[in-house]
Each structure stands twice: as C-alpha cells, then as structure tokens.
Amino acid sequence: MSKDNFLFTSESVSEGHPDKISDRISDAVVDKFLGADPLSRVAVETLCTTNRVVLAGEVRGPDTITADVMEDIARAAIKDIGYEQDGFHWEKAKVDVYVHSQSADIAQGVDASGNKDEGAGDQGLMFGHACTETDVLMPAPIHFSHAILRSLAEARHSGAETGLGPDSKSQVTLEYVDGKPVRAASVVVSTQHIEDMSQDEVREIVRPHVVGVLPEDWMCEEPEFYVNPTGRFVVGGPDSDAGLTGRKIIVDTYGGSAPHGGGAFSGKDPTKVDRSAAYAARYVAKNVVAAGLAQSCTIQVAYAIGVSKPLSVYIDTNGTGQVDEEKLSKVLQEMVDLSPRGIREHLKLSRPIYARTAAYGHFGRAPDEDGGFSWERTDLVDDLKSAFGAS
C-alpha cells in the first residue's frame, strides 16, 4: 500500500478491565481529596488482583481522608463497575492502603512561594492531538473502539444485556484511502459473559453495538468480525489478570495515532503536568483544528520539575496547516498560559472531575456542565480565527 492507503488499528478496554479498575479507584481518591480541598496533592497507584486491592502513594490534604475512607472509595468504585464475582467482589475483596504524606522535597519544588510561581510536579514531555477524522476531532480507530465498549457497558448497566460481564476489550482496524478512513477492515471484541452462553450467542449480542457505532456501510466483512476469538471468556477482571494504575496510556489518549510522552494520567492531581499539560495540549490542538487552521495538529510541551514555564512548545500541523506554525505557537502561548498554574486555572482543573475519565478515553468527550472534560471546549476558535484573519 502507498503511504496514503493503509490499515491502522487502535484498541480500547472497558471500565471492568483490571487496569481500568485500578485507574478508576485512583481517580476516585483524587476526586475525594480535591472535593475536600482543591489544593490537595495526590499521587496514588492501585493494584488489583484476585479479591485483593492495594493502594499506595503520597498525598497532602485533609486528615479526614483516612485509610478507611480510601478503602470505602475503592469498594464503591468496584461495586459501581459491577463486580460481584467469587474471585473479585466489591464487599469481599481485601483492601490494603499504603498511602503516606507527600515528600517535603517535592513540595518545596512544586509549591509557589515568594516570587516563585507554582512549578511542574515533574520533568517530562506531553503531547496533544486533534484531527478531522471524526466529529469530536479524534482519530477514528480509537474513537470507534471506545464507542463500542461504551455501548456494551450502557446495555449491561441498564439491564438490557444481563449475560455480559464488566471486563471487555475492543480493537478496530480501519482502511484509509488517500489518507482518510473509509471502512472497517476488521473488528475484534472480547467480552466477559455468563457460564452458559455460547460464543455464537455472544457474537449476536455484540453485533448491533458494533454496527450501531460504525458509520453506515463501514462494517467489516463477516470473516473479519472476531468476537471472543478464544471461544470462552467467563473468568475475567482481576481474578484472571492483575491490574495496575497507568498501564493503558495509549488507550487513554489517541490509540497510537499520535506520539505519547510516556506519563500516565490517573491517580494524579492537576499540579502533575503528566496529566494537566496533556489536557492543555489536547485543548489547544483541538481548537486549532476546530478553527479550520489545520486538518491535523500535534503539539508537544516539555517541563522541568519545579520550573513554571514550559521548556518548549512544538507544533506540527502534519502538512495540513493553513497558517505559519511558528506564528501559531506564539499566538497560542499568548492565549493560554501553559505554566502548571496557568493550565490549572484556565481549565479549572482543581475540581473532583476525574473518576469519569478513567474509562473510554480522556479525549473526544463532551464537556460536562460541572467542568468535567473542560479541555474539550472549543472556546478559542473565534480568537484564533481573528488572529489569522480566517473566516
């Protein structure tokens, strides 16, 4: 195939996948701290395995959020996801909490004091991306992979599909012609199910959720539609595979369609630029594309621990730009303060809005009235058009 004609694949995992349970618990802890004190500092990791959950990390916040409170948070998250199985049960699992106070050395570098602005919580590089492949300005393979699992989860939670379990995965391969997606070449869905359900029965439960998500006439040919290819998926979740916070970073972002800096999001308060700067990079990239200044935009930002200003801001419109990239970088930095404090205040990130991000992607979601997914707003569009004389 030529460079413009190719196949590209992305995968998603459901809220019941072991790694996503871990992400959900960690983010629920973040929400608890931020809800009690917006200036809380949180970095919490979660491990899930057969009827055992372990939380570890460091925090700075209200003393009222004790180990017992964090245990209750974990159990509530597992219950909401839907785990009441012998090998993983919200009420029966043992929950251990090893969370301690934040290092004074880290606090010294991050906190604002005197003439020093709030610094980045760590060094690193973060990427944001947007493109015109879907109406939410996300790459199509990851967008459809998420949507299939979200549709299955909604049916399970509503009771419309009582034979499915919480653990599932999807994988969508799209065919691109002249650089644009035109159809699904293959679709893979593996979903946990009850004991007495056959593979064919699962396949027919899954089919309408795939057809309903894909654009009309995009469904792959029947031999390329794979549902539970091993034939059986009864034992799932942490009873079958251990889960850890932060292991699904490609699922959480762009499905491999854009670079990734390597930092995970879940379990971190917004002073951690792994999270907040990645959100800001998506925000500005999405506004560039929404303003019609490019069909595709990738942005990299880089930071040093304890330093407020970004070390670099790189913009690549991937050959689709309608404006000068150097000028675009300058204009965006004038519009949005990309310091950790500037990002946090501009996007109003110091709120309990993170548990909802733990599954089905952090990007391509509709902004919520309470400020959730604020980085998906397109409120810079008019100013960007004005800055470049675009109509």
Side-chain angles (χ1 to χ4, degrees), residues 172-205:
V172 174
T173 300
L174 296 184
E175 179 181 350
Y176 285 70
V177 176
D178 295 330
K180 299 183 183 300
V182 297
R183 71 175 189 93
S186 66
V187 176
V188 184
V189 178
S190 295
T191 181
Q192 190 180 10
H193 58 86
I194 59 175
E195 178 74 39
D196 59 354
M197 185 174 286
S198 71
Q199 184 180 17
D200 287 342
E201 288 175 310
V202 177
R203 183 186 188 88
E204 294 315 309
I205 288 174

PDB file of all heavy atoms in Angstrom, residues 172-205:
ATOM      1  N   VAL A 172     -10.285  -2.020  16.631  1.00  0.00           N
ATOM      2  CA  VAL A 172     -10.845  -1.650  15.331  1.00  0.00           C
ATOM      3  C   VAL A 172      -9.710  -1.324  14.375  1.00  0.00           C
ATOM      4  O   VAL A 172      -8.846  -0.491  14.674  1.00  0.00           O
ATOM      5  CB  VAL A 172     -11.791  -0.439  15.458  1.00  0.00           C
ATOM      6  CG1 VAL A 172     -12.260   0.024  14.082  1.00  0.00           C
ATOM      7  CG2 VAL A 172     -12.985  -0.792  16.347  1.00  0.00           C
ATOM      8  N   THR A 173      -9.709  -2.004  13.224  1.00  0.00           N
ATOM      9  CA  THR A 173      -8.764  -1.725  12.150  1.00  0.00           C
ATOM     10  C   THR A 173      -9.518  -1.046  11.013  1.00  0.00           C
ATOM     11  O   THR A 173     -10.488  -1.606  10.491  1.00  0.00           O
ATOM     12  CB  THR A 173      -8.109  -3.017  11.635  1.00  0.00           C
ATOM     13  OG1 THR A 173      -7.407  -3.657  12.691  1.00  0.00           O
ATOM     14  CG2 THR A 173      -7.142  -2.716  10.500  1.00  0.00           C
ATOM     15  N   LEU A 174      -9.091   0.148  10.658  1.00  0.00           N
ATOM     16  CA  LEU A 174      -9.748   0.890   9.582  1.00  0.00           C
ATOM     17  C   LEU A 174      -8.865   0.935   8.345  1.00  0.00           C
ATOM     18  O   LEU A 174      -7.633   0.996   8.440  1.00  0.00           O
ATOM     19  CB  LEU A 174     -10.059   2.318  10.026  1.00  0.00           C
ATOM     20  CG  LEU A 174     -11.057   2.489  11.169  1.00  0.00           C
ATOM     21  CD1 LEU A 174     -11.326   3.966  11.403  1.00  0.00           C
ATOM     22  CD2 LEU A 174     -12.357   1.742  10.910  1.00  0.00           C
ATOM     23  N   GLU A 175      -9.519   0.925   7.202  1.00  0.00           N
ATOM     24  CA  GLU A 175      -8.820   1.106   5.930  1.00  0.00           C
ATOM     25  C   GLU A 175      -8.838   2.589   5.575  1.00  0.00           C
ATOM     26  O   GLU A 175      -9.893   3.242   5.617  1.00  0.00           O
ATOM     27  CB  GLU A 175      -9.489   0.310   4.822  1.00  0.00           C
ATOM     28  CG  GLU A 175      -8.805   0.492   3.470  1.00  0.00           C
ATOM     29  CD  GLU A 175      -9.486  -0.274   2.343  1.00  0.00           C
ATOM     30  OE1 GLU A 175     -10.382  -1.094   2.622  1.00  0.00           O
ATOM     31  OE2 GLU A 175      -9.105  -0.038   1.172  1.00  0.00           O
ATOM     32  N   TYR A 176      -7.669   3.122   5.246  1.00  0.00           N
ATOM     33  CA  TYR A 176      -7.540   4.512   4.828  1.00  0.00           C
ATOM     34  C   TYR A 176      -7.242   4.551   3.335  1.00  0.00           C
ATOM     35  O   TYR A 176      -6.388   3.809   2.842  1.00  0.00           O
ATOM     36  CB  TYR A 176      -6.407   5.202   5.585  1.00  0.00           C
ATOM     37  CG  TYR A 176      -6.743   5.553   7.016  1.00  0.00           C
ATOM     38  CD1 TYR A 176      -6.898   4.561   7.979  1.00  0.00           C
ATOM     39  CD2 TYR A 176      -6.910   6.880   7.393  1.00  0.00           C
ATOM     40  CE1 TYR A 176      -7.193   4.883   9.294  1.00  0.00           C
ATOM     41  CE2 TYR A 176      -7.206   7.219   8.705  1.00  0.00           C
ATOM     42  CZ  TYR A 176      -7.354   6.215   9.648  1.00  0.00           C
ATOM     43  OH  TYR A 176      -7.662   6.545  10.952  1.00  0.00           O
ATOM     44  N   VAL A 177      -7.943   5.427   2.630  1.00  0.00           N
ATOM     45  CA  VAL A 177      -7.714   5.674   1.206  1.00  0.00           C
ATOM     46  C   VAL A 177      -7.490   7.170   1.031  1.00  0.00           C
ATOM     47  O   VAL A 177      -8.294   7.984   1.511  1.00  0.00           O
ATOM     48  CB  VAL A 177      -8.914   5.203   0.352  1.00  0.00           C
ATOM     49  CG1 VAL A 177      -8.687   5.568  -1.112  1.00  0.00           C
ATOM     50  CG2 VAL A 177      -9.136   3.704   0.507  1.00  0.00           C
ATOM     51  N   ASP A 178      -6.379   7.503   0.386  1.00  0.00           N
ATOM     52  CA  ASP A 178      -5.984   8.911   0.240  1.00  0.00           C
ATOM     53  C   ASP A 178      -5.929   9.616   1.599  1.00  0.00           C
ATOM     54  O   ASP A 178      -6.310  10.788   1.740  1.00  0.00           O
ATOM     55  CB  ASP A 178      -6.948   9.651  -0.700  1.00  0.00           C
ATOM     56  CG  ASP A 178      -6.869   9.116  -2.120  1.00  0.00           C
ATOM     57  OD1 ASP A 178      -5.786   8.652  -2.520  1.00  0.00           O
ATOM     58  OD2 ASP A 178      -7.900   9.168  -2.821  1.00  0.00           O
ATOM     59  N   GLY A 179      -5.483   8.861   2.613  1.00  0.00           N
ATOM     60  CA  GLY A 179      -5.289   9.421   3.947  1.00  0.00           C
ATOM     61  C   GLY A 179      -6.530   9.568   4.782  1.00  0.00           C
ATOM     62  O   GLY A 179      -6.472  10.096   5.894  1.00  0.00           O
ATOM     63  N   LYS A 180      -7.681   9.084   4.277  1.00  0.00           N
ATOM     64  CA  LYS A 180      -8.930   9.219   5.021  1.00  0.00           C
ATOM     65  C   LYS A 180      -9.544   7.838   5.291  1.00  0.00           C
ATOM     66  O   LYS A 180      -9.518   6.956   4.427  1.00  0.00           O
ATOM     67  CB  LYS A 180      -9.938  10.077   4.246  1.00  0.00           C
ATOM     68  CG  LYS A 180      -9.448  11.500   3.995  1.00  0.00           C
ATOM     69  CD  LYS A 180     -10.506  12.319   3.293  1.00  0.00           C
ATOM     70  CE  LYS A 180      -9.981  13.729   2.986  1.00  0.00           C
ATOM     71  NZ  LYS A 180      -9.602  14.446   4.216  1.00  0.00           N
ATOM     72  N   PRO A 181     -10.111   7.624   6.496  1.00  0.00           N
ATOM     73  CA  PRO A 181     -10.735   6.329   6.805  1.00  0.00           C
ATOM     74  C   PRO A 181     -12.013   6.142   5.991  1.00  0.00           C
ATOM     75  O   PRO A 181     -12.820   7.066   5.867  1.00  0.00           O
ATOM     76  CB  PRO A 181     -11.038   6.429   8.299  1.00  0.00           C
ATOM     77  CG  PRO A 181     -11.172   7.897   8.562  1.00  0.00           C
ATOM     78  CD  PRO A 181     -10.231   8.575   7.625  1.00  0.00           C
ATOM     79  N   VAL A 182     -12.179   4.924   5.434  1.00  0.00           N
ATOM     80  CA  VAL A 182     -13.344   4.675   4.579  1.00  0.00           C
ATOM     81  C   VAL A 182     -14.188   3.489   5.036  1.00  0.00           C
ATOM     82  O   VAL A 182     -15.364   3.386   4.690  1.00  0.00           O
ATOM     83  CB  VAL A 182     -12.916   4.462   3.110  1.00  0.00           C
ATOM     84  CG1 VAL A 182     -12.267   5.730   2.558  1.00  0.00           C
ATOM     85  CG2 VAL A 182     -11.973   3.268   2.969  1.00  0.00           C
ATOM     86  N   ARG A 183     -13.604   2.559   5.805  1.00  0.00           N
ATOM     87  CA  ARG A 183     -14.379   1.400   6.264  1.00  0.00           C
ATOM     88  C   ARG A 183     -13.563   0.627   7.287  1.00  0.00           C
ATOM     89  O   ARG A 183     -12.351   0.832   7.427  1.00  0.00           O
ATOM     90  CB  ARG A 183     -14.731   0.470   5.104  1.00  0.00           C
ATOM     91  CG  ARG A 183     -13.549  -0.301   4.553  1.00  0.00           C
ATOM     92  CD  ARG A 183     -13.948  -1.303   3.469  1.00  0.00           C
ATOM     93  NE  ARG A 183     -12.814  -2.161   3.114  1.00  0.00           N
ATOM     94  CZ  ARG A 183     -12.560  -3.344   3.671  1.00  0.00           C
ATOM     95  NH1 ARG A 183     -13.364  -3.812   4.618  1.00  0.00           N
ATOM     96  NH2 ARG A 183     -11.511  -4.053   3.308  1.00  0.00           N
ATOM     97  N   ALA A 184     -14.251  -0.269   7.996  1.00  0.00           N
ATOM     98  CA  ALA A 184     -13.566  -1.163   8.928  1.00  0.00           C
ATOM     99  C   ALA A 184     -13.054  -2.385   8.176  1.00  0.00           C
ATOM    100  O   ALA A 184     -13.818  -3.067   7.487  1.00  0.00           O
ATOM    101  CB  ALA A 184     -14.513  -1.594  10.040  1.00  0.00           C
ATOM    102  N   ALA A 185     -11.777  -2.649   8.302  1.00  0.00           N
ATOM    103  CA  ALA A 185     -11.199  -3.855   7.705  1.00  0.00           C
ATOM    104  C   ALA A 185     -11.383  -5.053   8.620  1.00  0.00           C
ATOM    105  O   ALA A 185     -11.538  -6.187   8.157  1.00  0.00           O
ATOM    106  CB  ALA A 185      -9.717  -3.643   7.415  1.00  0.00           C
ATOM    107  N   SER A 186     -11.347  -4.818   9.939  1.00  0.00           N
ATOM    108  CA  SER A 186     -11.625  -5.883  10.907  1.00  0.00           C
ATOM    109  C   SER A 186     -12.037  -5.255  12.224  1.00  0.00           C
ATOM    110  O   SER A 186     -11.683  -4.118  12.538  1.00  0.00           O
ATOM    111  CB  SER A 186     -10.401  -6.785  11.111  1.00  0.00           C
ATOM    112  OG  SER A 186      -9.347  -6.082  11.713  1.00  0.00           O
ATOM    113  N   VAL A 187     -12.806  -6.020  12.983  1.00  0.00           N
ATOM    114  CA  VAL A 187     -13.237  -5.602  14.320  1.00  0.00           C
ATOM    115  C   VAL A 187     -13.088  -6.795  15.251  1.00  0.00           C
ATOM    116  O   VAL A 187     -13.530  -7.910  14.928  1.00  0.00           O
ATOM    117  CB  VAL A 187     -14.703  -5.116  14.333  1.00  0.00           C
ATOM    118  CG1 VAL A 187     -15.144  -4.791  15.768  1.00  0.00           C
ATOM    119  CG2 VAL A 187     -14.882  -3.904  13.428  1.00  0.00           C
ATOM    120  N   VAL A 188     -12.458  -6.569  16.400  1.00  0.00           N
ATOM    121  CA  VAL A 188     -12.290  -7.609  17.417  1.00  0.00           C
ATOM    122  C   VAL A 188     -12.930  -7.130  18.710  1.00  0.00           C
ATOM    123  O   VAL A 188     -12.644  -6.023  19.170  1.00  0.00           O
ATOM    124  CB  VAL A 188     -10.800  -7.918  17.674  1.00  0.00           C
ATOM    125  CG1 VAL A 188     -10.655  -9.072  18.666  1.00  0.00           C
ATOM    126  CG2 VAL A 188     -10.073  -8.229  16.373  1.00  0.00           C
ATOM    127  N   VAL A 189     -13.802  -7.949  19.279  1.00  0.00           N
ATOM    128  CA  VAL A 189     -14.397  -7.645  20.584  1.00  0.00           C
ATOM    129  C   VAL A 189     -14.327  -8.899  21.449  1.00  0.00           C
ATOM    130  O   VAL A 189     -14.781  -9.967  21.032  1.00  0.00           O
ATOM    131  CB  VAL A 189     -15.868  -7.190  20.463  1.00  0.00           C
ATOM    132  CG1 VAL A 189     -16.448  -6.927  21.860  1.00  0.00           C
ATOM    133  CG2 VAL A 189     -15.985  -5.950  19.602  1.00  0.00           C
ATOM    134  N   SER A 190     -13.745  -8.764  22.624  1.00  0.00           N
ATOM    135  CA  SER A 190     -13.748  -9.841  23.604  1.00  0.00           C
ATOM    136  C   SER A 190     -14.493  -9.336  24.827  1.00  0.00           C
ATOM    137  O   SER A 190     -14.143  -8.281  25.371  1.00  0.00           O
ATOM    138  CB  SER A 190     -12.319 -10.238  23.986  1.00  0.00           C
ATOM    139  OG  SER A 190     -11.631 -10.787  22.886  1.00  0.00           O
ATOM    140  N   THR A 191     -15.527 -10.059  25.239  1.00  0.00           N
ATOM    141  CA  THR A 191     -16.306  -9.605  26.380  1.00  0.00           C
ATOM    142  C   THR A 191     -16.627 -10.750  27.319  1.00  0.00           C
ATOM    143  O   THR A 191     -16.959 -11.866  26.881  1.00  0.00           O
ATOM    144  CB  THR A 191     -17.610  -8.907  25.935  1.00  0.00           C
ATOM    145  OG1 THR A 191     -18.324  -8.470  27.090  1.00  0.00           O
ATOM    146  CG2 THR A 191     -18.506  -9.826  25.120  1.00  0.00           C
ATOM    147  N   GLN A 192     -16.501 -10.475  28.599  1.00  0.00           N
ATOM    148  CA  GLN A 192     -16.834 -11.449  29.628  1.00  0.00           C
ATOM    149  C   GLN A 192     -18.320 -11.770  29.560  1.00  0.00           C
ATOM    150  O   GLN A 192     -19.149 -10.907  29.250  1.00  0.00           O
ATOM    151  CB  GLN A 192     -16.473 -10.847  30.986  1.00  0.00           C
ATOM    152  CG  GLN A 192     -16.524 -11.812  32.152  1.00  0.00           C
ATOM    153  CD  GLN A 192     -16.136 -11.113  33.445  1.00  0.00           C
ATOM    154  OE1 GLN A 192     -16.018  -9.899  33.496  1.00  0.00           O
ATOM    155  NE2 GLN A 192     -15.937 -11.893  34.500  1.00  0.00           N
ATOM    156  N   HIS A 193     -18.679 -13.028  29.858  1.00  0.00           N
ATOM    157  CA  HIS A 193     -20.081 -13.446  29.757  1.00  0.00           C
ATOM    158  C   HIS A 193     -20.388 -14.511  30.796  1.00  0.00           C
ATOM    159  O   HIS A 193     -19.483 -15.083  31.430  1.00  0.00           O
ATOM    160  CB  HIS A 193     -20.369 -13.977  28.347  1.00  0.00           C
ATOM    161  CG  HIS A 193     -19.501 -15.137  27.945  1.00  0.00           C
ATOM    162  ND1 HIS A 193     -19.798 -16.448  28.241  1.00  0.00           N
ATOM    163  CD2 HIS A 193     -18.314 -15.169  27.291  1.00  0.00           C
ATOM    164  CE1 HIS A 193     -18.850 -17.240  27.773  1.00  0.00           C
ATOM    165  NE2 HIS A 193     -17.929 -16.480  27.193  1.00  0.00           N
ATOM    166  N   ILE A 194     -21.655 -14.806  30.980  1.00  0.00           N
ATOM    167  CA  ILE A 194     -22.070 -15.815  31.954  1.00  0.00           C
ATOM    168  C   ILE A 194     -21.720 -17.216  31.461  1.00  0.00           C
ATOM    169  O   ILE A 194     -21.468 -17.432  30.275  1.00  0.00           O
ATOM    170  CB  ILE A 194     -23.577 -15.707  32.263  1.00  0.00           C
ATOM    171  CG1 ILE A 194     -24.417 -15.893  30.991  1.00  0.00           C
ATOM    172  CG2 ILE A 194     -23.887 -14.377  32.920  1.00  0.00           C
ATOM    173  CD1 ILE A 194     -25.919 -15.910  31.247  1.00  0.00           C
ATOM    174  N   GLU A 195     -21.752 -18.158  32.373  1.00  0.00           N
ATOM    175  CA  GLU A 195     -21.261 -19.516  32.134  1.00  0.00           C
ATOM    176  C   GLU A 195     -21.931 -20.209  30.959  1.00  0.00           C
ATOM    177  O   GLU A 195     -21.269 -20.829  30.133  1.00  0.00           O
ATOM    178  CB  GLU A 195     -21.461 -20.351  33.402  1.00  0.00           C
ATOM    179  CG  GLU A 195     -21.027 -21.800  33.289  1.00  0.00           C
ATOM    180  CD  GLU A 195     -19.520 -21.960  33.306  1.00  0.00           C
ATOM    181  OE1 GLU A 195     -18.857 -21.234  34.069  1.00  0.00           O
ATOM    182  OE2 GLU A 195     -19.010 -22.816  32.546  1.00  0.00           O
ATOM    183  N   ASP A 196     -23.251 -20.140  30.860  1.00  0.00           N
ATOM    184  CA  ASP A 196     -23.969 -20.966  29.888  1.00  0.00           C
ATOM    185  C   ASP A 196     -24.243 -20.260  28.561  1.00  0.00           C
ATOM    186  O   ASP A 196     -25.144 -20.650  27.821  1.00  0.00           O
ATOM    187  CB  ASP A 196     -25.287 -21.459  30.491  1.00  0.00           C
ATOM    188  CG  ASP A 196     -26.201 -20.326  30.920  1.00  0.00           C
ATOM    189  OD1 ASP A 196     -25.759 -19.159  30.857  1.00  0.00           O
ATOM    190  OD2 ASP A 196     -27.355 -20.602  31.310  1.00  0.00           O
ATOM    191  N   MET A 197     -23.468 -19.252  28.234  1.00  0.00           N
ATOM    192  CA  MET A 197     -23.668 -18.530  26.975  1.00  0.00           C
ATOM    193  C   MET A 197     -22.637 -18.984  25.946  1.00  0.00           C
ATOM    194  O   MET A 197     -21.441 -19.047  26.229  1.00  0.00           O
ATOM    195  CB  MET A 197     -23.552 -17.019  27.212  1.00  0.00           C
ATOM    196  CG  MET A 197     -23.868 -16.179  25.992  1.00  0.00           C
ATOM    197  SD  MET A 197     -23.898 -14.401  26.387  1.00  0.00           S
ATOM    198  CE  MET A 197     -25.448 -14.299  27.286  1.00  0.00           C
ATOM    199  N   SER A 198     -23.108 -19.309  24.738  1.00  0.00           N
ATOM    200  CA  SER A 198     -22.212 -19.790  23.694  1.00  0.00           C
ATOM    201  C   SER A 198     -21.510 -18.624  22.991  1.00  0.00           C
ATOM    202  O   SER A 198     -21.941 -17.466  23.082  1.00  0.00           O
ATOM    203  CB  SER A 198     -22.993 -20.599  22.656  1.00  0.00           C
ATOM    204  OG  SER A 198     -23.828 -19.750  21.885  1.00  0.00           O
ATOM    205  N   GLN A 199     -20.456 -18.967  22.256  1.00  0.00           N
ATOM    206  CA  GLN A 199     -19.726 -17.950  21.503  1.00  0.00           C
ATOM    207  C   GLN A 199     -20.628 -17.289  20.466  1.00  0.00           C
ATOM    208  O   GLN A 199     -20.567 -16.073  20.268  1.00  0.00           O
ATOM    209  CB  GLN A 199     -18.506 -18.565  20.834  1.00  0.00           C
ATOM    210  CG  GLN A 199     -17.624 -17.564  20.101  1.00  0.00           C
ATOM    211  CD  GLN A 199     -16.424 -18.209  19.439  1.00  0.00           C
ATOM    212  OE1 GLN A 199     -16.385 -19.422  19.253  1.00  0.00           O
ATOM    213  NE2 GLN A 199     -15.432 -17.409  19.075  1.00  0.00           N
ATOM    214  N   ASP A 200     -21.470 -18.076  19.800  1.00  0.00           N
ATOM    215  CA  ASP A 200     -22.382 -17.512  18.797  1.00  0.00           C
ATOM    216  C   ASP A 200     -23.387 -16.561  19.432  1.00  0.00           C
ATOM    217  O   ASP A 200     -23.727 -15.520  18.844  1.00  0.00           O
ATOM    218  CB  ASP A 200     -23.121 -18.637  18.063  1.00  0.00           C
ATOM    219  CG  ASP A 200     -22.220 -19.380  17.088  1.00  0.00           C
ATOM    220  OD1 ASP A 200     -21.153 -18.833  16.729  1.00  0.00           O
ATOM    221  OD2 ASP A 200     -22.576 -20.513  16.695  1.00  0.00           O
ATOM    222  N   GLU A 201     -23.849 -16.902  20.635  1.00  0.00           N
ATOM    223  CA  GLU A 201     -24.795 -16.011  21.325  1.00  0.00           C
ATOM    224  C   GLU A 201     -24.129 -14.687  21.680  1.00  0.00           C
ATOM    225  O   GLU A 201     -24.722 -13.611  21.513  1.00  0.00           O
ATOM    226  CB  GLU A 201     -25.325 -16.689  22.593  1.00  0.00           C
ATOM    227  CG  GLU A 201     -26.301 -17.831  22.333  1.00  0.00           C
ATOM    228  CD  GLU A 201     -26.696 -18.548  23.604  1.00  0.00           C
ATOM    229  OE1 GLU A 201     -25.791 -18.927  24.386  1.00  0.00           O
ATOM    230  OE2 GLU A 201     -27.920 -18.721  23.831  1.00  0.00           O
ATOM    231  N   VAL A 202     -22.903 -14.747  22.159  1.00  0.00           N
ATOM    232  CA  VAL A 202     -22.171 -13.522  22.484  1.00  0.00           C
ATOM    233  C   VAL A 202     -21.968 -12.682  21.226  1.00  0.00           C
ATOM    234  O   VAL A 202     -22.135 -11.462  21.242  1.00  0.00           O
ATOM    235  CB  VAL A 202     -20.812 -13.846  23.142  1.00  0.00           C
ATOM    236  CG1 VAL A 202     -20.028 -12.564  23.401  1.00  0.00           C
ATOM    237  CG2 VAL A 202     -21.004 -14.621  24.440  1.00  0.00           C
ATOM    238  N   ARG A 203     -21.636 -13.353  20.139  1.00  0.00           N
ATOM    239  CA  ARG A 203     -21.403 -12.660  18.879  1.00  0.00           C
ATOM    240  C   ARG A 203     -22.625 -11.848  18.443  1.00  0.00           C
ATOM    241  O   ARG A 203     -22.504 -10.692  18.023  1.00  0.00           O
ATOM    242  CB  ARG A 203     -21.052 -13.697  17.812  1.00  0.00           C
ATOM    243  CG  ARG A 203     -20.701 -13.134  16.438  1.00  0.00           C
ATOM    244  CD  ARG A 203     -20.520 -14.272  15.440  1.00  0.00           C
ATOM    245  NE  ARG A 203     -20.004 -13.828  14.176  1.00  0.00           N
ATOM    246  CZ  ARG A 203     -18.716 -13.716  13.870  1.00  0.00           C
ATOM    247  NH1 ARG A 203     -17.806 -14.014  14.775  1.00  0.00           N
ATOM    248  NH2 ARG A 203     -18.332 -13.306  12.685  1.00  0.00           N
ATOM    249  N   GLU A 204     -23.804 -12.428  18.581  1.00  0.00           N
ATOM    250  CA  GLU A 204     -25.013 -11.738  18.139  1.00  0.00           C
ATOM    251  C   GLU A 204     -25.432 -10.644  19.118  1.00  0.00           C
ATOM    252  O   GLU A 204     -26.120  -9.697  18.723  1.00  0.00           O
ATOM    253  CB  GLU A 204     -26.149 -12.740  17.913  1.00  0.00           C
ATOM    254  CG  GLU A 204     -25.871 -13.701  16.755  1.00  0.00           C
ATOM    255  CD  GLU A 204     -25.328 -12.982  15.512  1.00  0.00           C
ATOM    256  OE1 GLU A 204     -25.952 -11.989  15.069  1.00  0.00           O
ATOM    257  OE2 GLU A 204     -24.265 -13.384  14.990  1.00  0.00           O
ATOM    258  N   ILE A 205     -25.028 -10.758  20.382  1.00  0.00           N
ATOM    259  CA  ILE A 205     -25.256  -9.663  21.323  1.00  0.00           C
ATOM    260  C   ILE A 205     -24.365  -8.480  20.965  1.00  0.00           C
ATOM    261  O   ILE A 205     -24.791  -7.319  20.984  1.00  0.00           O
ATOM    262  CB  ILE A 205     -24.974 -10.129  22.769  1.00  0.00           C
ATOM    263  CG1 ILE A 205     -26.080 -11.072  23.245  1.00  0.00           C
ATOM    264  CG2 ILE A 205     -24.846  -8.936  23.718  1.00  0.00           C
ATOM    265  CD1 ILE A 205     -25.812 -11.689  24.605  1.00  0.00           C
TER     266      ILE A 205
END
